């Protein structure tokens, strides 16, 4: 793709990066076939290629974002299926991230939407506050049916977004998990030592996931540390275009994790939420221009491992409780298959541990969760969820396994089939308790 940035514009490292990304695009359109919003809507501007043109025009002409540009960028899930499909290696992730930052800084949204975005950006990264908000949401959930229906499903208003938030709130919350600063020694001879990301929403909605990871890792000789000063990874605010907040959180985590590494061996930073893992693995890029953090950020990104990725590197013994009669539909989270290019390890681990693993048709298409997407775009998210659940049902599973809490909550909201994390099944197969049922019911 031909670009026409001025030399003055190209002196900006972000614009220079956008120029490199845009020039890699050859207009082939392969990305349209795997873009969820294009599949649903058939609008070129709701495809990666269309959004690339919009972003190019906005950046190249240094124009403020228009309402039309914002509409189509907001409809992007950042599922990154286009990057898996692209034969030219266009890094759409870094381009759309830059567009979101530009929109957040230069576009004035309606007051109600600004307030909702600010509320989510403040509450979601803070587990104690998020837990309190979930308690309030439980009280408000019966009122959801009284909220007015949307007259324009393509452009949801505040009532529809509040309704979507209340629908996602669980009817009950589990007890809090282990405290930050906890250390879980390896059982028997220690084979390794890792920091386990505690997460934000996950530690409130499903602390059982990290508890399963801790049992599984320690059972196989890995000491697990919950780093005391760890914060939200920054993914939530990063995808809202609030990069100042996201980068501040990234820097705080880098300091905390490298201080922990300095106190003792740290083989990996293990992540059980693939959306978080994708962002942590990108810290090196996000802080590439920071003279104080570029090197440390790259070291942290190199240490980050999805739980399935880390487990695949261990020589795990045969399972104690093989479950060969259970059919597992494996839902491949977008952030894992497209963002981190991890596709086979979770399925191979499940198969090795005795489960019958079935691929889901159209597995490349997003379930519609995508961070806060199912709040801001509830109609599109609902259509994607229903499509995903229909595809899952076609393989007639006993359980659904996924590697991302957002996907788990989204899918569980539309099916009675138990939705569990991959690590819960692996823990069960090797001596742990049977996984619970849907936490989002």
């Amino acid at each position: 793709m031909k670009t026409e940035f001025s030399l003055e514009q190209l002196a900006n490292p972000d614009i220079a990066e956008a120029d490199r990304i845009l020039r890699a695009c050859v207009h082939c359109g392969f990305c349209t076939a795997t873009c969820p919003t294009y599949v649903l809507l058939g609008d070129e501007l709701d495809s990666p290629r269309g959004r690339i043109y919009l972003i190019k025009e906005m950046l190249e002409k240094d124009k403020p974002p228009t309402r039309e540009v914002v509409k189509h960028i907001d409809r992007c899930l950042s599922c990154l299926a286009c990057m898996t499909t692209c034969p030219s290696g266009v890094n759409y992730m870094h381009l759309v991230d830059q567009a979101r930052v530009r929109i957040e800084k230069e576009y004035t949204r309606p007051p109600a939407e600004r307030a909702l975005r600010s509320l989510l950006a403040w509450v979601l990264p803070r587990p104690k506050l998020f837990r309190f908000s979930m308690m309030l949401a439980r009280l408000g959930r019966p009122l959801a049916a009284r909220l007015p229906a949307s007259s324009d499903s393509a452009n949801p208003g505040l009532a529809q977004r509040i309704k979507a938030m209340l629908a996602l709130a669980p009817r009950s919350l589990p007890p809090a998990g282990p405290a930050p600063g906890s250390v879980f020694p390896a059982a028997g001879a220690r084979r390794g030592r890792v920091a386990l990301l505690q997460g934000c929403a996950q530690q409130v909605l499903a602390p059982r996931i990290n508890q399963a990871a801790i049992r599984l890792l320690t059972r196989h000789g890995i000491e697990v540390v919950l780093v005391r000063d760890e914060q939200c990874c920054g993914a939530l605010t990063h995808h809202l275009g609030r990069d100042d907040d996201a980068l501040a959180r990234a820097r705080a985590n880098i300091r905390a994790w490298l201080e922990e590494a300095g106190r003792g061996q740290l083989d990996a930073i293990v992540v059980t939420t693939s959306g978080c893992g994708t962002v942590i693995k990108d810290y090196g890029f996000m802080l590439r221009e920071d003279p104080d953090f570029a090197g440390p950020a790259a070291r942290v990104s190199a240490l980050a491992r999805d739980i399935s990725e880390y487990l695949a590197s261990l020589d795990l013994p045969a399972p104690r409780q093989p479950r060969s009669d259970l059919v597992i539909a494996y839902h491949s989270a977008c952030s894992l298959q497209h963002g981190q290019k991890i596709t086979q390890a979770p399925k191979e681990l499940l198969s090795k541990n005795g489960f019958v693993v079935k691929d889901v048709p159209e597995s490349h298409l997003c379930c519609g969760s995508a961070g806060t997407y199912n709040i801001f775009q509830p109609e599109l998210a609902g259509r994607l969820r229903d499509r995903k659940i229909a595809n899952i049902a076609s393989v007639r599973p006993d359980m659904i396994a996924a590697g991302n809490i957002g996907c788990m909550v989204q899918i569980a909201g539309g099916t009675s089939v138990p939705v569990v994390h991959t690590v819960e099944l692996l823990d069960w197969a090797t001596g742990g308790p049977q996984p619970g049922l849907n936490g989002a019911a």
Side-chain angles (χ1 to χ4, degrees):
M1 179 179 288
K2 182 182 177 182
T3 59
E4 297 179 350
F5 291 106
S6 68
L7 292 176
E8 183 180 3
Q9 286 177 305
L10 291 171
N12 181 323
D14 289 332
I15 296 297
E17 180 63 22
D19 182 61
R20 284 190 289 271
I21 296 168
L22 291 166
R23 284 177 176 270
C25 179
V26 296
H27 318 263
C28 67
F30 284 5
C31 57
T32 61
T34 57
C35 174
T37 49
Y38 183 78
V39 168
L40 289 184
L41 302 173
D43 185 338
E44 174 74 12
L45 294 180
D46 284 313
S47 74
R49 183 170 62 181
R51 293 183 180 110
I52 284 171
Y53 281 116
L54 293 174
I55 295 169
K56 175 181 182 292
E57 172 100 352
M58 177 177 66
L59 296 180
E60 203 170 58
K61 296 184 178 179
D62 199 20
K63 294 166 56 176
T66 65
R67 182 179 178 184
E68 187 72 3
V69 169
V70 172
K71 177 178 77 172
H72 294 294
I73 299 301
D74 281 355
R75 284 182 182 172
C76 174
L77 296 113
S78 286
C79 70
L80 310 181
C82 55
M83 289 179 59
T84 296
T85 311
C86 180
S88 303
V90 175
N91 196 319
Y92 177 81
M93 177 175 76
H94 290 159
L95 188 66
V96 78
D97 284 348
Q98 190 174 148
R100 294 190 198 283
V101 172
R102 176 70 68 99
I103 289 168
E104 179 64 20
K105 289 180 177 177
E106 299 185 6
Y107 182 74
T108 302
R109 296 181 184 274
E113 186 175 349
R114 287 206 311 272
L116 181 58
R117 285 175 172 266
S118 295
L119 177 68
L120 292 175
W122 180 256
V123 170
L124 291 178
R126 295 169 169 85
K128 291 181 180 178
L129 196 55
F130 181 56
R131 175 177 284 275
F132 179 69
S133 74
M134 288 295 96
M135 293 175 181
L136 293 179
R138 283 161 50 199
L139 298 176
R141 191 171 178 175
L143 302 176
R146 297 176 180 269
L147 291 172
S150 175
S151 58
D152 183 3
S153 60
N155 297 287
L158 181 62
Q160 287 68 51
R161 287 165 172 165
I162 292 175
K163 195 170 185 176
M165 280 197 299
L166 293 175
L168 290 168
R171 289 196 177 93
S172 62
L173 289 175
S182 301
V183 178
F184 300 88
R190 194 177 88 173
R191 302 168 58 191
R193 185 173 184 268
V194 301
L196 180 65
L197 181 77
Q198 294 154 77
C200 303
Q202 179 174 287
Q203 68 171 279
V204 174
L205 298 173
R208 69 179 197 271
I209 294 171
N210 271 4
Q211 289 166 350
I214 291 166
R215 288 191 300 267
L216 181 62
L217 290 166
T218 54
R219 186 182 301 126
H220 292 97
I222 308 299
E223 183 174 284
V224 179
V225 180
L226 305 183
V227 177
R228 185 179 304 279
D229 296 324
E230 181 185 285
Q231 295 190 16
C232 168
C233 70
L236 289 163
T237 49
H238 178 61
H239 294 307
L240 288 171
R242 300 184 174 218
D243 246 22
D244 289 344
D245 181 273
L247 294 178
R249 293 181 182 281
R251 293 185 184 100
N253 283 333
I254 290 164
R255 282 192 293 266
W257 288 329
L258 292 183
E259 284 174 10
E260 183 62 46
R263 285 191 284 268
Q265 172 191 353
L266 199 61
D267 301 309
I269 299 164
V270 175
V271 185
T272 56
T273 304
S274 60
C276 301
T278 301
V279 169
I280 294 169
K281 288 182 177 183
D282 205 40
Y283 276 3
F285 175 83
M286 292 164 63
L287 289 163
R288 68 196 183 283
E289 298 296 326
D290 187 320
D292 295 324
F293 280 89
R299 290 199 294 276
V300 163
S301 290
L303 279 172
R305 294 286 186 277
D306 183 75
I307 183 68
S308 63
E309 185 181 19
Y310 184 73
L311 291 171
S313 71
L314 302 176
D315 185 19
L316 300 181
R320 298 181 189 176
Q321 303 173 33
R323 303 289 172 183
S324 58
D325 57 331
L326 283 181
V327 175
I328 306 298
Y330 175 69
H331 164 71
S332 188
C334 295
S335 46
L336 199 56
Q337 64 167 319
H338 304 309
Q340 300 183 49
K341 308 302 182 190
I342 297 173
T343 57
Q344 296 304 312
K347 294 187 288 186
E348 289 172 357
L349 286 165
L350 289 169
S351 295
K352 180 181 176 182
N353 281 275
F355 297 101
V356 178
V357 182
K358 296 287 186 72
D359 283 320
V360 175
E362 293 188 328
S363 62
H364 62 283
L365 287 182
C366 185
C367 68
S369 172
T372 55
Y373 189 90
N374 49 7
I375 294 172
F376 288 111
Q377 302 289 338
E379 194 270 341
L380 291 175
R383 289 170 65 183
L384 288 170
R385 184 192 71 176
D386 293 346
R387 186 171 181 143
K388 178 66 67 177
I389 289 171
N391 280 317
I392 289 171
S394 71
V395 303
R396 302 173 65 85
D398 298 304
M399 286 185 169
I400 302 163
N404 188 62
I405 183 63
C407 302
M408 293 170 65
V409 170
Q410 175 79 347
I411 294 170
T415 181
S416 60
V417 180
V419 184
V420 298
H421 196 284
T422 305
V423 77
E424 293 183 90
L425 292 173
L426 299 175
D427 175 46
W428 183 26
T430 56
Q434 181 175 348
L437 300 181
N438 293 351

